[in-house]
Amino acid sequence: MRKTKVTIERPLRSRSESIIWKLISTPSGLSRWIAEQVKQDGDVLVFTWGKPGQVYETRRAQILKTAKNKFFRFHWEDEDDPEAYTELAMTKLGVTDEFALCITDFSEPDDIDTITYMWNHDLDRLQHKTGV
């Protein structure tokens, strides 16, 4: 079943292209704001949520495409829409010379509010933990 594309953009408080790129494209960066742990095995990412001793949720994602300092795109292995993907893209804001993070994801129409809330929560976590 085809899903609806959802896009969320958030200005970041950073002018450092390399810092933002590491936060959106590396397991160590992703584990600071999306999941408690992210591991990479070739072109597969393994995301784990939960704290030690608690029930974990684990999801795997196939890396689809990467353009250094531009975007990082992956597809969740349990996703039933073959056209759906998650993309983390950085764009430069001309006025302030800072960057914005643009997240593209796909959702069932009834779940758009939920996925938007989830990504905004993750973005809040990114800004709180890293200061960007």
Side-chain angles (χ1 to χ4, degrees), residues 77-110:
E77 288 184 353
D78 58 357
E79 173 58 62
D80 58 352
D81 182 351
E83 302 297 317
Y85 59 86
T86 300
E87 181 177 277
L88 309 174
M90 51 191 286
T91 59
K92 196 165 202 172
L93 302 173
V95 176
T96 63
D97 218 23
E98 294 179 327
F99 287 91
L101 180 56
C102 185
I103 298 170
T104 303
D105 206 346
F106 289 78
S107 173
E108 298 290 342
D110 292 344

Tab-separated table of all heavy atoms in Angstrom, residues 77-110:
chain	number	residue	atom	x	y	z
A	77	GLU	N	13.564	-2.368	6.750
A	77	GLU	CA	13.336	-3.706	6.212
A	77	GLU	C	11.915	-4.206	6.445
A	77	GLU	O	11.423	-5.017	5.670
A	77	GLU	CB	14.354	-4.696	6.780
A	77	GLU	CG	15.738	-4.484	6.213
A	77	GLU	CD	16.746	-5.508	6.692
A	77	GLU	OE1	16.428	-6.324	7.584
A	77	GLU	OE2	17.870	-5.495	6.165
A	78	ASP	N	11.254	-3.719	7.497
A	78	ASP	CA	9.886	-4.166	7.771
A	78	ASP	C	8.826	-3.267	7.113
A	78	ASP	O	7.635	-3.426	7.342
A	78	ASP	CB	9.637	-4.266	9.279
A	78	ASP	CG	9.861	-2.946	10.014
A	78	ASP	OD1	10.260	-1.950	9.394
A	78	ASP	OD2	9.652	-2.934	11.244
A	79	GLU	N	9.251	-2.358	6.272
A	79	GLU	CA	8.341	-1.445	5.576
A	79	GLU	C	7.675	-2.174	4.415
A	79	GLU	O	8.356	-2.782	3.595
A	79	GLU	CB	9.126	-0.230	5.061
A	79	GLU	CG	8.352	0.718	4.186
A	79	GLU	CD	7.134	1.285	4.867
A	79	GLU	OE1	7.292	1.971	5.882
A	79	GLU	OE2	6.028	1.025	4.381
A	80	ASP	N	6.339	-2.093	4.342
A	80	ASP	CA	5.619	-2.808	3.291
A	80	ASP	C	5.480	-2.023	1.988
A	80	ASP	O	5.151	-2.588	0.957
A	80	ASP	CB	4.241	-3.265	3.783
A	80	ASP	CG	3.375	-2.113	4.268
A	80	ASP	OD1	3.868	-0.979	4.367
A	80	ASP	OD2	2.193	-2.359	4.567
A	81	ASP	N	5.746	-0.721	2.012
A	81	ASP	CA	5.707	0.091	0.793
A	81	ASP	C	7.118	0.157	0.207
A	81	ASP	O	8.006	0.787	0.786
A	81	ASP	CB	5.189	1.495	1.114
A	81	ASP	CG	5.083	2.390	-0.111
A	81	ASP	OD1	5.566	2.010	-1.200
A	81	ASP	OD2	4.518	3.491	0.013
A	82	PRO	N	7.354	-0.487	-0.940
A	82	PRO	CA	8.709	-0.502	-1.504
A	82	PRO	C	9.213	0.868	-1.946
A	82	PRO	O	10.413	1.071	-2.101
A	82	PRO	CB	8.594	-1.459	-2.694
A	82	PRO	CG	7.148	-1.477	-3.043
A	82	PRO	CD	6.398	-1.209	-1.775
A	83	GLU	N	8.305	1.824	-2.127
A	83	GLU	CA	8.691	3.179	-2.535
A	83	GLU	C	9.017	4.081	-1.341
A	83	GLU	O	9.538	5.178	-1.516
A	83	GLU	CB	7.574	3.818	-3.364
A	83	GLU	CG	7.212	3.034	-4.611
A	83	GLU	CD	8.361	2.947	-5.601
A	83	GLU	OE1	9.023	3.981	-5.817
A	83	GLU	OE2	8.598	1.853	-6.139
A	84	ALA	N	8.700	3.638	-0.132
A	84	ALA	CA	8.914	4.452	1.067
A	84	ALA	C	10.382	4.410	1.484
A	84	ALA	O	11.069	3.416	1.303
A	84	ALA	CB	8.031	3.953	2.201
A	85	TYR	N	10.833	5.511	2.049
A	85	TYR	CA	12.195	5.613	2.567
A	85	TYR	C	12.211	6.665	3.658
A	85	TYR	O	11.259	7.419	3.834
A	85	TYR	CB	13.186	5.970	1.449
A	85	TYR	CG	12.874	7.276	0.748
A	85	TYR	CD1	13.339	8.496	1.258
A	85	TYR	CD2	12.094	7.299	-0.400
A	85	TYR	CE1	13.038	9.690	0.630
A	85	TYR	CE2	11.790	8.497	-1.032
A	85	TYR	CZ	12.270	9.683	-0.515
A	85	TYR	OH	11.973	10.879	-1.137
A	86	THR	N	13.314	6.708	4.369
A	86	THR	CA	13.567	7.781	5.323
A	86	THR	C	14.818	8.493	4.839
A	86	THR	O	15.820	7.846	4.524
A	86	THR	CB	13.782	7.232	6.740
A	86	THR	OG1	12.600	6.531	7.146
A	86	THR	CG2	14.079	8.343	7.727
A	87	GLU	N	14.741	9.815	4.766
A	87	GLU	CA	15.884	10.597	4.312
A	87	GLU	C	16.170	11.708	5.310
A	87	GLU	O	15.266	12.413	5.739
A	87	GLU	CB	15.618	11.189	2.929
A	87	GLU	CG	16.797	11.996	2.396
A	87	GLU	CD	16.527	12.508	1.005
A	87	GLU	OE1	16.726	11.739	0.047
A	87	GLU	OE2	16.100	13.686	0.886
A	88	LEU	N	17.431	11.844	5.653
A	88	LEU	CA	17.909	12.920	6.513
A	88	LEU	C	18.791	13.797	5.632
A	88	LEU	O	19.849	13.361	5.176
A	88	LEU	CB	18.716	12.342	7.682
A	88	LEU	CG	18.026	11.227	8.471
A	88	LEU	CD1	18.977	10.631	9.498
A	88	LEU	CD2	16.763	11.725	9.133
A	89	ALA	N	18.334	15.012	5.365
A	89	ALA	CA	19.050	15.904	4.456
A	89	ALA	C	19.406	17.199	5.163
A	89	ALA	O	18.627	17.724	5.952
A	89	ALA	CB	18.200	16.199	3.224
A	90	MET	N	20.589	17.694	4.863
A	90	MET	CA	21.006	18.968	5.426
A	90	MET	C	20.994	20.018	4.325
A	90	MET	O	21.419	19.763	3.204
A	90	MET	CB	22.376	18.850	6.088
A	90	MET	CG	23.455	18.220	5.250
A	90	MET	SD	24.945	17.819	6.182
A	90	MET	CE	25.665	19.411	6.422
A	91	THR	N	20.453	21.190	4.664
A	91	THR	CA	20.422	22.299	3.727
A	91	THR	C	20.955	23.541	4.425
A	91	THR	O	20.759	23.721	5.622
A	91	THR	CB	18.993	22.571	3.213
A	91	THR	OG1	18.146	22.856	4.327
A	91	THR	CG2	18.445	21.391	2.452
A	92	LYS	N	21.611	24.365	3.664
A	92	LYS	CA	22.173	25.589	4.228
A	92	LYS	C	21.161	26.714	4.112
A	92	LYS	O	20.549	26.914	3.068
A	92	LYS	CB	23.457	25.962	3.500
A	92	LYS	CG	24.288	26.962	4.234
A	92	LYS	CD	25.684	27.018	3.665
A	92	LYS	CE	26.595	27.579	4.703
A	92	LYS	NZ	27.981	27.508	4.313
A	93	LEU	N	20.973	27.416	5.224
A	93	LEU	CA	20.070	28.563	5.251
A	93	LEU	C	20.869	29.796	4.855
A	93	LEU	O	21.839	30.148	5.513
A	93	LEU	CB	19.463	28.728	6.643
A	93	LEU	CG	18.681	27.524	7.172
A	93	LEU	CD1	18.275	27.743	8.620
A	93	LEU	CD2	17.470	27.263	6.301
A	94	GLY	N	20.468	30.441	3.796
A	94	GLY	CA	21.228	31.562	3.255
A	94	GLY	C	21.349	32.752	4.178
A	94	GLY	O	22.375	33.400	4.228
A	95	VAL	N	20.328	33.038	4.948
A	95	VAL	CA	20.320	34.248	5.772
A	95	VAL	C	21.319	34.146	6.923
A	95	VAL	O	22.095	35.067	7.165
A	95	VAL	CB	18.898	34.512	6.326
A	95	VAL	CG1	18.887	35.697	7.260
A	95	VAL	CG2	17.928	34.719	5.181
A	96	THR	N	21.325	33.023	7.627
A	96	THR	CA	22.159	32.892	8.826
A	96	THR	C	23.439	32.113	8.593
A	96	THR	O	24.292	32.062	9.466
A	96	THR	CB	21.379	32.162	9.932
A	96	THR	OG1	21.075	30.838	9.484
A	96	THR	CG2	20.124	32.913	10.298
A	97	ASP	N	23.573	31.471	7.429
A	97	ASP	CA	24.720	30.617	7.129
A	97	ASP	C	24.742	29.366	8.003
A	97	ASP	O	25.738	28.691	8.097
A	97	ASP	CB	26.030	31.401	7.264
A	97	ASP	CG	27.028	31.003	6.187
A	97	ASP	OD1	26.602	30.499	5.133
A	97	ASP	OD2	28.234	31.180	6.410
A	98	GLU	N	23.642	29.101	8.693
A	98	GLU	CA	23.506	27.878	9.475
A	98	GLU	C	22.794	26.841	8.614
A	98	GLU	O	22.422	27.109	7.484
A	98	GLU	CB	22.742	28.157	10.767
A	98	GLU	CG	23.497	29.063	11.714
A	98	GLU	CD	22.746	29.359	12.995
A	98	GLU	OE1	21.507	29.431	12.970
A	98	GLU	OE2	23.413	29.532	14.018
A	99	PHE	N	22.622	25.656	9.191
A	99	PHE	CA	21.995	24.565	8.460
A	99	PHE	C	20.614	24.243	9.023
A	99	PHE	O	20.306	24.558	10.164
A	99	PHE	CB	22.865	23.303	8.535
A	99	PHE	CG	24.092	23.383	7.688
A	99	PHE	CD1	25.280	23.865	8.215
A	99	PHE	CD2	24.069	22.973	6.364
A	99	PHE	CE1	26.419	23.955	7.430
A	99	PHE	CE2	25.197	23.055	5.574
A	99	PHE	CZ	26.386	23.546	6.108
A	100	ALA	N	19.817	23.598	8.187
A	100	ALA	CA	18.547	23.029	8.616
A	100	ALA	C	18.609	21.544	8.301
A	100	ALA	O	19.313	21.113	7.387
A	100	ALA	CB	17.382	23.672	7.876
A	101	LEU	N	17.883	20.778	9.082
A	101	LEU	CA	17.766	19.348	8.843
A	101	LEU	C	16.370	19.103	8.294
A	101	LEU	O	15.376	19.515	8.890
A	101	LEU	CB	17.983	18.565	10.138
A	101	LEU	CG	17.892	17.047	10.044
A	101	LEU	CD1	18.856	16.485	9.009
A	101	LEU	CD2	18.185	16.428	11.403
A	102	CYS	N	16.302	18.461	7.145
A	102	CYS	CA	15.028	18.149	6.509
A	102	CYS	C	14.865	16.628	6.532
A	102	CYS	O	15.690	15.900	5.990
A	102	CYS	CB	15.010	18.678	5.085
A	102	CYS	SG	13.425	18.450	4.269
A	103	ILE	N	13.801	16.174	7.184
A	103	ILE	CA	13.528	14.741	7.297
A	103	ILE	C	12.351	14.414	6.399
A	103	ILE	O	11.307	15.056	6.458
A	103	ILE	CB	13.203	14.356	8.750
A	103	ILE	CG1	14.402	14.643	9.638
A	103	ILE	CG2	12.791	12.887	8.833
A	103	ILE	CD1	14.125	14.520	11.116
A	104	THR	N	12.539	13.409	5.559
A	104	THR	CA	11.466	12.900	4.722
A	104	THR	C	11.177	11.482	5.170
A	104	THR	O	12.089	10.670	5.327
A	104	THR	CB	11.865	12.905	3.234
A	104	THR	OG1	12.215	14.233	2.865
A	104	THR	CG2	10.738	12.403	2.360
A	105	ASP	N	9.916	11.185	5.396
A	105	ASP	CA	9.495	9.852	5.819
A	105	ASP	C	8.136	9.586	5.182
A	105	ASP	O	7.558	10.469	4.551
A	105	ASP	CB	9.415	9.775	7.348
A	105	ASP	CG	9.601	8.368	7.890
A	105	ASP	OD1	9.534	7.403	7.099
A	105	ASP	OD2	9.813	8.225	9.101
A	106	PHE	N	7.629	8.393	5.345
A	106	PHE	CA	6.343	8.020	4.763
A	106	PHE	C	5.467	7.434	5.850
A	106	PHE	O	5.944	6.764	6.757
A	106	PHE	CB	6.542	7.007	3.634
A	106	PHE	CG	7.169	7.630	2.414
A	106	PHE	CD1	8.532	7.881	2.363
A	106	PHE	CD2	6.398	7.989	1.331
A	106	PHE	CE1	9.115	8.458	1.254
A	106	PHE	CE2	6.964	8.576	0.213
A	106	PHE	CZ	8.327	8.806	0.170
A	107	SER	N	4.157	7.680	5.734
A	107	SER	CA	3.227	7.261	6.774
A	107	SER	C	1.856	6.956	6.183
A	107	SER	O	1.476	7.502	5.142
A	107	SER	CB	3.092	8.387	7.797
A	107	SER	OG	2.100	8.101	8.742
A	108	GLU	N	1.125	6.112	6.887
A	108	GLU	CA	-0.286	5.939	6.578
A	108	GLU	C	-0.964	7.282	6.858
A	108	GLU	O	-0.560	7.989	7.789
A	108	GLU	CB	-0.907	4.860	7.476
A	108	GLU	CG	-0.317	3.481	7.307
A	108	GLU	CD	-0.674	2.832	5.978
A	108	GLU	OE1	-1.644	3.279	5.326
A	108	GLU	OE2	0.034	1.903	5.587
A	109	PRO	N	-1.979	7.655	6.097
A	109	PRO	CA	-2.640	8.952	6.324
A	109	PRO	C	-3.114	9.153	7.766
A	109	PRO	O	-3.020	10.259	8.296
A	109	PRO	CB	-3.813	8.932	5.346
A	109	PRO	CG	-3.347	8.033	4.243
A	109	PRO	CD	-2.509	6.971	4.920
A	110	ASP	N	-3.585	8.109	8.415
A	110	ASP	CA	-4.067	8.224	9.796
A	110	ASP	C	-2.941	8.397	10.812
A	110	ASP	O	-3.197	8.751	11.962
A	110	ASP	CB	-4.888	6.989	10.190
A	110	ASP	CG	-6.192	6.901	9.426
A	110	ASP	OD1	-6.601	7.918	8.822
A	110	ASP	OD2	-6.798	5.819	9.424
